[in-house]
């Protein structure tokens, strides 16, 4: 099912990055190359440093060491909004929707970088701005159709069920039309059916739009099923990397997951 | 505006974001236009037009602060200082260079906006109470600077006489004429505020207020938008300051003390944060409240309290107590302010006579 990536075509290149919090080495000298078009899973026990790594990729943490290169450009010093402009979108482990806004408004915010209306034009709101508004609204409607959120369009996201909130957050990230999509535990807390839906959406996005995806997920069944490559983190360090089959057979991984030593 | 939605379906995305989504609302707006542009100036007495002028000026100031506080979630306790900046900018341009209002008015706004950006800089790093205190400091620093710079404040008592504005050679020297001048400015201010709120920029403001981390991840330049909110808010304050200067015929820093900044915060809170209609309600309410108290106390007071001195003392305290009480009430009980009360009334009538 997963597509094989074109060798040598790297979307994101993480080299020797570390993040320290006081004495804690949340991420310790990690290097990974994410091939274009991959569904690249990052797995590891709780506190392994997965979210910290994604936070460095999306710009929330500045690494203590190392560099991050996205599509040939060093973005280590770029702010999160600048990375969004370059095509990196993400969702959060703890959901960060605009709870007071409805689904559509959340998605429209995802269109921010693609819209051009500046302050002066906003004040006047004449023809071209209205056309732009309508055009982007139509794009959001496509996403709403794709994620089957039609009935919830005008509902306030704060009141939605957890699984739907996760879905809307995915939709908002998709509205950015990202080249690289970072998903931090998109299926956490979902039932089997919801997980299946979410897995389907992730695969569809990857296959239909060619979006490169970095996926953090604890459900090994899903990870082994949909990812092209997997990197395993433990205590901030990368202990293994490869295809699902390779990683499953790796003794270091088995050890980390069973927690036999340390 | 007691309109009903039944039988009217939106058929395009554009109509979904139209300023007046329902045709009935257009009629209501037209009705208000006739009322304020034709009926009021013809029938209302000059004294009440003076009050309407004060309300109009307050509406402009409150619309601005609402963009900063209500939409963007920042805070400023220095709004009055920006009015002062606008007032003195216009006064100097009008007296030294003999410039007409259509230059002084936007210039006052732009000068206030420029200083607003400087004052807003701390918002890039600090939030909440710390930001409140830094804007409070700005209130005093700006005021002090203006008063102690004779080149700006005109020296003696920091007071500059300003000639009334004129249009096509007609000098607007009565409150009736000034009323139309202020009204036109108010209408423009309202339309622009509504446009900002429904467009890309307004959405970004609200995003920053609700979740600045998520806003940033969506590509919103949070720092720039915060400064933009300070600039817009201060621009409105500056324009309100210019209007006040033309209204009173003098630019004077004593019109813009700290209490006025707090009045504006009260307008935004009482009216309903983040809503244009709320800012209009709040500005009207806060402007009319002391005048109403004054009226009531002046007519009833002498029967209750014989001593004229203590009566005026009670009057001024009454205003503060009522204000404090109302701000607490709206912060705790009804954060959406008068606007929410209005919406409740409207939705009641929307389904009337059915109770659910
Ligand atoms: N902002 C922070 N300040 C201090 N310590 C942090 C911070 N963020 C992460 N850490 C620490 O870094 C380590 C790695 O945390 P991280 O959230 O990256 O793990 P994770 O792999 O995402 O775990 P989980 O599966 O529970 O989400 C943990 O020990 C955590 O306590
Ligand atoms: Mg995590």
């Amino acid at each position: 099912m997963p597509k094989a990536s074109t060798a040598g075509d790297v979307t994101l290149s993480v080299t020797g990055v570390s993040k320290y919090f006081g004495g804690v080495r949340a991420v310790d000298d990690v290097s990974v190359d994410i091939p274009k078009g991959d569904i690249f899973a990052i797995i590891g026990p709780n506190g392994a440093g997965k979210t910290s790594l994604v936070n460095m990729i999306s710009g929330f943490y500045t690494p203590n060491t190392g560099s991050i290169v996205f599509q040939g450009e060093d973005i280590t010093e770029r702010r999160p909004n600048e990375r969004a402009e370059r095509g990196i979108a993400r969702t959060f482990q703890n959901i960060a929707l605009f709870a007071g806004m409805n689904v559509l408004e959340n998605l429209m915010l995802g269109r921010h970088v693609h819209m051009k209306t500046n302050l002066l034009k906003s004040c006047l709101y004449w023809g071209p701005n209205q056309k732009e508004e309508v055009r982007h609204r139509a794009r959001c409607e496509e996403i709403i159709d794709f994620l089957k959120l039609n009935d919830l369009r005008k509902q306030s996201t704060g009141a939605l069920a957890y699984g739907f909130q996760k879905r809307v957050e995915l939709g908002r990230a998709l509205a950015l039309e990202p080249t690289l999509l970072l998903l931090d535990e998109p299926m956490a807390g979902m039932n089997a059916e919801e997980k299946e839906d979410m897995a389907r959406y992730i695969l569809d996005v990857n296959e239909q739009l060619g979006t490169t995806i970095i996926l953090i997920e604890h459900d090994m069944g899903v990870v082994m099923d949909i990812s092209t490559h997997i990197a395993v983190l433990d205590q901030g360090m990368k202990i293994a990397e490869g295809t699902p089959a390779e990683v499953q057979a790796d003794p270091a991984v088995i050890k980390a997951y069973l927690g036999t030593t340390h | 505006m007691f309109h009903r939605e039944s039988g009217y379906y939106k058929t395009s995305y554009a109509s979904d974001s139209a300023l007046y989504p329902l045709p009935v609302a257009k009629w209501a707006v037209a009705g208000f236009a006739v009322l304020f542009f034709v009926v009021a100036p013809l029938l209302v007495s000059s004294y009440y037009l003076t009050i309407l002028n004060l309300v109009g000026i307050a509406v402009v100031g409150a619309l601005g602060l609402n963009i900063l506080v209500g939409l963007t979630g920042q805070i400023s306790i220095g709004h009055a200082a920006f009015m002062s900046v606008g007032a003195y900018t216009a006064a100097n341009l009008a007296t030294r260079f003999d410039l007409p209002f259509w230059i002084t008015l936007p210039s006052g706004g732009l000068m206030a906006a420029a200083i607003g950006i400087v004052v807003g800089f701390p918002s890039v790093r600090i939030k909440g109470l710390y930001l409140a205190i830094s804007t409070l400091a700005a209130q005093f620093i700006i005021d002090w600077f203006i008063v102690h710079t004779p080149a700006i404040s005109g020296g003696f008592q920091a007071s500059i006489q300003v000639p009334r504005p004129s249009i096509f050679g007609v000098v607007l020297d009565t409150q009736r004429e000034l009323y139309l001048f202020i009204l036109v400015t108010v209408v423009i201010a309202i339309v622009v505020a509504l446009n900002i709120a429904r467009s890309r920029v307004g959405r970004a403001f609200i995003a920053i207020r609700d979740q600045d981390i998520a806003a940033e991840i969506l590509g919103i330049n949070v720092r720039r938008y915060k400064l933009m909110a300070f600039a817009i808010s201060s621009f409105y304050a500056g324009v309100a300051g210019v209007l006040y200067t033309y209204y009173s015929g003098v630019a004077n820093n004593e019109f813009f003390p700290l209490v006025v900044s707090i009045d504006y915060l009260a307008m935004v809170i009482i009216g309903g944060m983040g809503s244009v209609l709320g800012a209009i309600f709040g500005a009207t309410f806060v402007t009319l409240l002391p005048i109403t108290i004054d009226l009531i106390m002046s007519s009833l007071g002498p029967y209750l309290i014989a001593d004229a001195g203590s009566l005026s003392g009670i009057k001024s305290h009454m205003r503060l107590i009522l204000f404090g009480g109302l701000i607490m009430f709206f912060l705790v009980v009804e954060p959406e302010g008068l606007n929410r009360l209005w919406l409740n009334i409207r939705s009641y009538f929307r389904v009337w006579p059915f109770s659910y």
Side-chain angles (χ1 to χ4, degrees), chain B residues 15-152:
Chain B
S15 64
D16 224 11
S17 65
L19 273 189
Y20 324 114
L22 303 180
V24 186
K26 283 192 176 142
W27 288 105
V29 169
F32 273 105
V34 172
L35 186 69
F36 282 114
F37 276 95
V38 182
V39 180
L42 285 178
L43 299 181
V44 175
S45 80
S46 171
Y47 170 72
Y48 287 106
L49 279 180
T50 312
I51 294 174
L52 277 181
N53 285 344
L54 283 175
V55 170
I57 295 166
V59 166
V60 175
L63 285 170
L65 193 61
N66 181 53
I67 287 171
L68 181 69
V69 177
L71 279 194
T72 320
Q74 307 301 296
I75 181 114
S76 169
I77 317 188
H79 207 55
F82 297 115
M83 296 178 73
S84 200
V85 170
Y88 282 102
T89 305
N92 280 298
L93 291 177
T95 53
R96 288 173 196 234
F97 305 103
D98 216 18
L99 292 173
F101 77 86
W102 50 267
I103 293 180
T104 62
L105 197 67
S107 304
L110 286 175
M111 181 65 91
I115 294 177
I117 290 173
V118 176
V119 170
F121 258 110
S123 72
V124 166
R125 298 226 166 268
I126 57 177
K127 290 181 186 177
L129 188 59
Y130 298 103
L131 183 60
I133 290 172
S134 85
T135 57
L136 178 65
Q139 163 85 35
F140 287 113
I141 294 169
I142 292 171
D143 195 48
W144 186 89
F145 185 81
I146 289 176
V147 174
H148 288 84
T149 313
I152 300 172

Side-chain angles (χ1 to χ4, degrees), chain B residues 21 58 67 85 96 98 135 140 147 174 190 192 200 205 207 223 228 259 261 271 292 315 319 349:
Chain B
I67 287 171
V85 170
R96 288 173 196 234
D98 216 18
T135 57
F140 287 113
V147 174
T174 67
I190 292 173
V192 168
R200 171 177 181 259
F205 287 154
R223 298 173 177 191
M228 208 190 278
V259 193
S261 289
T292 316
K315 253 195 246 173
R319 174 172 175 275
F349 278 101

